[in-house]
Amino acid sequence: MQGVSWGEPQSALLAHFGERALVLQHPIDFGDSYTQIVLRDVELGGVPLIAFFQIDKVTGGLKRVQIERQRHGVNSPAFRGVVRALQGEYGAPDAACSIPPTPQNGYQAAAELDWSRGGNLIRAVFRDTTIEAAEGCLGDLTAGPCGLTGQLFVRISPRSDAAACHLPAH
């Protein structure tokens, strides 16, 4: 993501990425931000990912970048490949945490690794749904997931964003 700055407008992102950028006809809402500019050709650790440039709804500037694996390709080997690439670039993570699967979180286990580098927070998150997640499903369980599905993303944001894991002060 070299050459991209926090707070810059979408026009600057389009100028930077040129024809690599895909402009969505309908923005994707992320709550405090939205995405209209996407890169579909991002790779980390040999794993193909999609980058979503989240624009702050208030300022109109770049708030964070979220790089995701398409849901059908989320698995442990993909997460390990992404983490190896991040460790190769940034070294050991500053913090790591996990969430066990429970009924309260839909039986979705999660792991997060956080790096704080150069004023940026880099978060690698892997959420995996256990077999128990089918407990609340009705009907044919062989038809595919009825609830939560796995998720793999890397979120890059200014250090001021909150991390789920406790990061040491810098």
Side-chain angles (χ1 to χ4, degrees):
M1 305 282 97
Q2 286 114 353
V4 174
S5 300
W6 301 125
E8 70 181 351
Q10 291 189 91
S11 59
L13 293 170
L14 288 172
H16 180 77
F17 292 112
E19 295 198 9
R20 282 186 61 207
L22 172 65
V23 180
L24 303 176
Q25 187 174 2
H26 303 287
I28 300 170
D29 192 295
F30 283 90
D32 63 353
S33 60
Y34 65 91
T35 292
Q36 203 162 7
I37 299 173
V38 175
L39 293 182
R40 297 186 63 84
D41 60 351
V42 176
E43 193 173 289
L44 264 175
V47 178
L49 305 163
I50 300 171
F52 298 89
F53 294 88
Q54 296 179 11
I55 303 300
D56 189 289
K57 288 180 178 178
V58 175
T59 67
L62 181 63
K63 184 175 185 97
R64 70 181 70 89
V65 179
Q66 184 158 309
I67 308 167
E68 280 193 44
R69 176 87 164 149
Q70 288 186 330
R71 300 286 170 117
H72 67 273
V74 173
N75 55 41
S76 296
F79 182 63
R80 286 191 296 273
V82 167
V83 168
R84 271 193 305 275
L86 291 171
Q87 288 175 330
E89 182 71 25
Y90 302 113
D94 296 313
C97 57
S98 62
I99 300 169
T102 65
Q104 292 80 12
N105 65 16
Y107 294 103
Q108 193 170 44
E112 179 174 326
L113 301 172
D114 295 341
W115 291 262
S116 178
R117 300 290 186 273
N120 295 321
L121 172 62
I122 300 103
R123 298 173 59 201
V125 177
F126 177 55
R127 294 185 183 132
D128 192 23
T129 303
T130 64
I131 194 70
E132 290 89 1
E135 235 178 50
C137 298
L138 301 174
D140 182 10
L141 296 181
T142 63
C146 66
L148 298 172
T149 57
Q151 188 176 24
L152 166 56
F153 65 87
V154 175
R155 185 174 291 157
I156 307 163
S157 60
R159 173 77 163 93
S160 58
D161 263 13
C165 298
H166 176 71
L167 285 170
H170 285 281

